Amino acid sequence: MKSNFIILLILAVLAYGCGSSSLLNTPGTAQKSIFETSSDKEPDWVNSPNRFWYDQKDKCYYVVGAANDQSEIGFGESIAQAYALKNLAQRIQTIFNSRFAMIETGKSDEVRNLTDVLVSAVTNNIQLSVAMTQEYWKEWQISDGYQTKYRYDIYTLNQIDKRDLERAVVSAIDGLKTSVEDPELRKRLDDFERDMQQNPGTLTK
């Protein structure tokens, strides 16, 4: 049940985007100011352009999620974690596509299908292994002269054990290979699988 809920959240995130409400986007209609924050100091990872990285010391991957313009912290945390999974999926997609960048044009559709299946399989397999380790939120006070609203921007730092993530990717690759007959594509999949098993932090390179 939790797995289905997270998948629905990811789909909702993809459709909704990280936009703000029309009230916040309409010039001159509202005054917006920070009312409260979860801590005095904003963590460095909140605004860092790096949303996904590998920590050699901890032997785990970290991925950042964010949910803007939320009315409630608890649900916003779930949305932020869904965004973290989306960021993770996009990273895997980028790495996988780079491995097949020089593939023959005639195979591009097959590569695209393989990428979609791989990302879907990894996301489904890893979601229960993603643990939120830090959270930071800002509460905004928004007043238009008639009423005052309070909304949250919520950020989560999420940890995935190296073995769990790379095991999920390898498992997904193994599943793909059963339906691939082209020798070049199979070799690329074998090479990617070997790198995942032998080289720590492959997904961040």
Side-chain angles (χ1 to χ4, degrees), residues 116-127:
D116 291 343
V117 173
L118 175 73
V119 170
S120 177
V122 172
T123 302
N124 288 335
N125 291 338
I126 202 62
Q127 52 188 288

Side-chain angles (χ1 to χ4, degrees), residues 24 28 39 48 89 99 114 119 123 132 151 154 178 190:
L24 302 187
S39 61
S48 171
R99 295 299 185 103
L114 289 176
V119 170
T123 302
M132 185 175 70
R151 308 290 285 181
I154 300 163
T178 61
D190 286 336

Side-chain angles (χ1 to χ4, degrees), residues 58-71:
D58 294 343
K59 296 192 182 309
C60 65
Y61 292 90
Y62 287 94
V63 59
V64 176
N68 296 331
D69 190 28
Q70 299 296 309
S71 60

Side-chain angles (χ1 to χ4, degrees), residues 6 28-30 49 51 83 88 99 128 142 147-149 151 180 189 191 203:
I6 294 176
T29 61
R51 314 306 282 172
Y83 262 107
L88 172 60
R99 295 299 185 103
L128 296 181
I142 307 123
Q147 60 179 334
T148 299
K149 295 183 178 182
R151 308 290 285 181
V180 174
L189 289 170
D191 291 344
L203 291 174

Side-chain angles (χ1 to χ4, degrees), residues 22 34 39 63 66 104 108 153 157 185 203:
S22 59
I34 292 180
S39 61
V63 59
E104 293 178 20
S108 58
D153 289 344
L157 180 63
L185 290 178
L203 291 174

